[in-house]
Structure formats: C-alpha cells, structure tokens
Amino acid sequence: MRAVTWQGKRDVRVENVPDPTIQEPTDAIIRITSTGLCGSDLHLYEVLTPFMTPGDILGHEPMGIVEEVGAGVQDLQVGDRVVVPFQIACGNCWMCLTGLPTQCETTQVQGEGMGAALFGYTRLYGSVPGAQAEYLRVPQAQFGPIKVPEGPADDRFVYLSDVLPTAWQAVAYADIPEGGSVAVLGLGPIGDMACRVAQVQGAGSVFGVDLVPARLRRAKARGVETFDLGSFDEEKELVEAIRDRTDGRGPDAVIDTVGTEAHGSAAARMVQNAAALLPRKLGGPIAERFSVDRLAALHTAIELVRRGGTISLSGVYGGMADPIPLLTLFDKQIQMRMGQANVRRWTDEIIPYLTDEDPLGVDDFATHRVPLSEAPHAYEMFQRKQDGAVKILMQP
Ligand SMILES: NC(=O)c1ccc[n+]([C@@H]2O[C@H](COP(=O)([O-])OP(=O)(O)OC[C@H]3O[C@@H](n4cnc5c(N)ncnc54)[C@H](O)[C@@H]3O)[C@@H](O)[C@H]2O)c1
Ligand SMILES: [Zn+2]
Ligand SMILES: [Zn+2]
C-alpha cells in the first residue's frame, strides 16, 4: 500500500510499504477514506526528530471502512463505516473505566514511562504505524472504532478522531462559568474548534488570539472576538487589551492550543534545533531530559487568566526542564488542567451535534482536500500556514 512516511527533519515521503495484517484477535484492518493532518504531526515534522525512525508511518486522524476483523472483536463487521480515535485503548482497564483512555493500562508505553500508545507518534508512544496510509491496523478494535452512519460525507465525522474530542476536553477542562469568558490562544484547527465548542456550550464571551490573518478572519466570521498577536509590540499589551474587555480582571479561563511551537522566544528554538541535530542515540535522551519548550503562549495564559481562573492546555508541551512562574501561578490561585484528549470519554456527548444543521460547522471545516500522494506538499503548506491552510484532509 501507499503510506506517508517520515524520513527526516521536514522530509516526509509517500512510499510503498507492506499492507498491514491482523496480528492479534483484537485487531481490525480498515481501508482509510479520509485522514487528517494535525498540528501534532508538525511536531514530528520538525522538533521531535530525535524520537523518530526513518520509515515511520505518520498520521492519527482516520476514518474508513472495516476490511477485516479479528476473532476477538464482537461489535464490528466487515463493511462498517468507522472513525478511529488517535489513542489506542482497551476500554476495560481501571483507567479506561475511569474515563481516561489516554492512560490505558493495557497499552501504556511503560518502557518509555508514557501513557497509552498513539497511532503514528514516535517511539515515546509505541512506534505504532500511523493512519496517513491506504490501510490501518487498529489494535484494541473491540473498543476504539466509533461506528458512524452512511450518508453524509466523511467531513461530518472524521474529526471525532481528534479535533472534536480535543476541543471538547479543552473546553470541559477550562470550566467556564455559565455566561463567563474564555480566551483561546492559537486558532489552528484545535483552537478554532475550541472557540466553536465554547460558543455552543454557552460561554458569554469568546476571545481568540493568533497571528495568521486567514485564521483570525475565519474565527471572526463565526463571532469570535479576535486579537492579532502581531499587532502588539509586547505580550503585556495583548493582555491589557483582553483585560479591558473583561472588567479589567482577565477572562475566567484561558485555553492554550498553541503548545511548544509558539512564536515568541528565539532562545528556546536554539535548544530544540541543537537537539534535533544530535545523533539519534544522544539526541533522544538529551531532548527528553533537558529540553525546554517555547513557552510564549503558556506564559501569556498565566498572565492573562483572571485571578482564581483556569488554564486548560491542549497544545502539546514536551520539555522536562521548563521554567514556570510558580510564584504567579500560586499567588493568582490558578488551576491548570491538561493532557491528550480522552477521545471515547467525550464522543457520545459530541455526536448529537453532528447533524444537518451542523452547529459546529464541521461540514466545511476543512480548507483543503488532497490525495495522499500530495502529502509532502500538504505538510509544507500546513507548517508554513500558506494558501489559507487550516485543516487539511487527505484522501488515499
Ligand atoms: N491534547 C491533545 O489531545 C491534542 C490533540 C491534537 C492536537 N494537539 C496539539 O494542539 C496544538 C494545536 O494543534 P493544531 O492542529 O490546531 O495546530 P496548529 O499548529 O495549526 O495551531 C497552532 C496555532 O497557534 C498559533 N500561534 C503560534 N504562536 C502563538 C502565540 N504565541 N499566541 C497565539 N497563537 C500562536 C499558530 O499561528 C497556529 O495557528 C498542537 O500543539 C497539537 O500538538 C493536542
Ligand atoms: Zn491530531
Ligand atoms: Zn485500558
């Protein structure tokens, strides 16, 4: 089959690889009809290079048709239309039963000290072949895949794999009081969708911050009050501008959907670049133990949120030695919640919103649909935020 493979820093290629096969009774094979490109893939494209191996198959946002099921999978049939969550979880362990499938005790990558295995996401998360491919082996298929009805185009359901539950969890963790205010940092796919979820759940004011004009326009068109980071000389001015809109206090909650690749600090970028250039054996441990993130967005969140407010982190951070202003966090009495989205914890709540009325605007959420063969161009376009690219779906 054809698959998008990682070959090196900013180097992905579509290659022929062996078709996946059933290896465990709890496996299924799906033929992928749509598969998303995510901000998380961009981390692999560039900064997480030390944890990748050339040839790794990328991708974790698929949907498609069940081709084959193992003997241990009762609820799936050949021909079913399914969306596959980005994390692999058993559905039956203590963590899964607690609503934390990202911490699944059956698939935890214990050798690396990490949580549940993820599709297409480095050796830290189990080096599981990913979903930007024609076919996907789905382990733990007795729990993961979500059956969806025939009829609407893939766009209606495909974001259940990641974007929707991630945005949903971001808003749930933000704990916005009824009619309260939230600022969303970053208006990529996750931030954009988090604004929409906050709106449908009744937030009083939704502020959005980014520095890409097309992304700001897109959020504004849906009633978000947007702030262009690039129009302020300093972070302080942005914080003041949003405080002015919230009785001088700052929003009740701030959702950070930027993560480690924030625009803002040159020093942190140097450390990441240095780690990416080291030989693999050295680069891994060094990046893991000593790396620091680019923290511009997190620091903005800490400054911006009102005293006693909540910060919800969806943007991925991976540093082990990040300087965090604990004095401010403690003094302002800030609550912080974070983590990978627990996909199946939220999907039953989200599905009722995926109707013809389309309150979340999923039907035209994608800005680009490209064949799998154009993956190298799609990665470049998405990373550089060219051509209005916000969400790219690939069709194998
Ligand atoms: N927690 C999860 O389960 C989960 C799931 C999916 C994605 N993610 C993470 O969410 C983040 C966003 O993903 P995405 O797909 O939306 O990707 P993205 O990279 O397109 O979005 C990030 C946005 O942040 C903007 N930005 C950069 N610096 C900023 C700053 N200082 N202030 C405000 N905005 C800034 C960028 O212009 C961009 O629009 C990534 O870190 C990704 O890994 C997490
Ligand atoms: Zn994703
Ligand atoms: Zn489990």
Side-chain angles (χ1 to χ4, degrees):
M1 67 167 182
R2 306 289 285 162
V4 179
T5 62
W6 183 93
Q7 298 294 341
K9 191 172 168 179
R10 267 182 262 121
D11 182 4
V12 303
R13 294 181 214 162
V14 182
E15 301 214 309
N16 283 322
V17 301
D19 286 355
T21 53
I22 300 269
Q23 290 167 28
E24 303 285 337
T26 46
D27 287 354
I29 304 289
I30 72 155
R31 176 174 58 79
I32 295 171
T33 52
S34 290
T35 187
L37 180 47
C38 177
S40 299
D41 296 319
L42 293 181
H43 305 321
L44 313 182
Y45 195 51
E46 186 143 1
V47 300
L48 290 179
T49 297
F51 304 109
M52 299 294 290
T53 307
D56 282 352
I57 302 175
L58 298 168
H60 58 264
E61 302 191 347
M63 71 175 288
I65 306 294
V66 176
E67 283 272 314
E68 216 183 319
V69 285
V73 182
Q74 305 303 325
D75 292 343
L76 282 187
Q77 246 110 64
V78 172
D80 284 345
R81 188 185 196 199
V82 292
V83 181
V84 182
F86 72 87
Q87 69 230 201
I88 300 166
C90 74
N92 208 18
C93 70
W94 191 89
M95 285 291 175
C96 284
L97 293 173
T98 315
L100 290 167
T102 57
Q103 313 302 328
C104 174
E105 287 168 340
T106 307
T107 74
Q108 275 175 5
V109 185
Q110 286 177 354
E112 300 284 351
M114 301 297 278
L118 310 178
F119 286 105
Y121 219 75
T122 77
R123 66 174 166 75
L124 294 179
Y125 287 104
S127 299
V128 184
Q132 289 162 5
E134 289 179 301
Y135 295 92
L136 178 70
R137 171 183 166 239
V138 181
Q140 306 294 336
Q142 79 290 349
F143 176 65
I146 306 153
K147 276 195 258 186
V148 296
E150 300 294 334
D154 280 3
D155 301 58
R156 180 73 59 86
F157 305 114
V158 67
Y159 307 115
L160 285 168
S161 59
D162 183 339
V163 175
L164 285 166
T166 300
W168 207 267
Q169 178 170 299
V171 172
Y173 282 7
D175 200 16
I176 309 160
E178 184 65 38
S181 53
V182 60
V184 177
L185 305 181
L187 296 171
I190 302 299
D192 185 333
M193 189 56 79
C195 291
R196 299 175 188 207
V197 172
Q199 287 169 329
V200 301
Q201 294 197 359
S205 336
V206 180
F207 308 106
V209 181
D210 204 295
L211 58 170
V212 180
R215 296 182 176 205
L216 289 159
R217 276 198 302 276
R218 190 168 131 114
K220 193 171 176 191
R222 291 188 65 97
V224 175
E225 191 174 332
T226 53
F227 294 81
D228 180 356
L229 186 65
S231 70
F232 298 96
D233 288 332
E234 295 182 81
E235 176 214 36
K236 231 171 51 196
E237 294 172 20
L238 167 74
V239 169
E240 285 305 323
I242 299 179
R243 275 195 194 143
D244 281 350
R245 303 286 298 116
T246 50
D247 296 331
R249 292 195 188 96
D252 297 312
V254 177
I255 297 175
D256 172 354
T257 71
V258 179
T260 179
E261 300 203 43
H263 291 268
S265 144
R269 181 191 270 277
M270 250 173 56
V271 175
Q272 283 171 335
N273 283 349
L277 289 173
L278 290 166
R280 267 187 52 75
K281 282 215 164 64
L282 272 178
I286 286 185
E288 215 165 331
R289 286 194 210 125
F290 304 112
S291 72
V292 294
D293 291 296
R294 277 188 258 158
L295 291 169
L298 179 57
H299 285 157
T300 302
I302 294 169
E303 274 310 301
L304 179 59
V305 71
R306 74 155 162 81
R307 290 181 173 273
T310 307
I311 295 176
S312 165
L313 297 185
S314 296
V316 169
Y317 289 96
M320 285 296 261
D322 285 333
I324 301 285
L326 266 175
L327 169 67
T328 311
L329 282 171
F330 188 85
D331 178 62
K332 285 183 74 173
Q333 203 156 343
I334 293 170
Q335 329 202 25
M336 252 173 129
R337 298 184 73 188
M338 65 191 85
Q340 304 277 6
N342 296 290
V343 175
R344 295 302 305 263
R345 162 73 182 80
W346 308 110
T347 45
D348 287 349
E349 289 177 31
I350 300 169
I351 287 168
Y353 289 84
L354 305 180
T355 57
D356 285 347
E357 290 70 39
D358 195 15
L360 295 169
V362 293
D363 286 350
D364 51 13
F365 190 69
T367 52
H368 293 69
R369 289 176 192 77
V370 301
L372 199 66
S373 56
E374 284 177 27
H377 171 62
Y379 269 79
E380 197 184 330
M381 177 168 65
F382 183 48
Q383 191 196 35
R384 299 192 178 167
K385 303 170 178 65
Q386 294 163 334
D387 195 24
V390 181
K391 192 65 190 180
I392 304 176
L393 293 179
M394 295 189 268
Q395 271 134 358

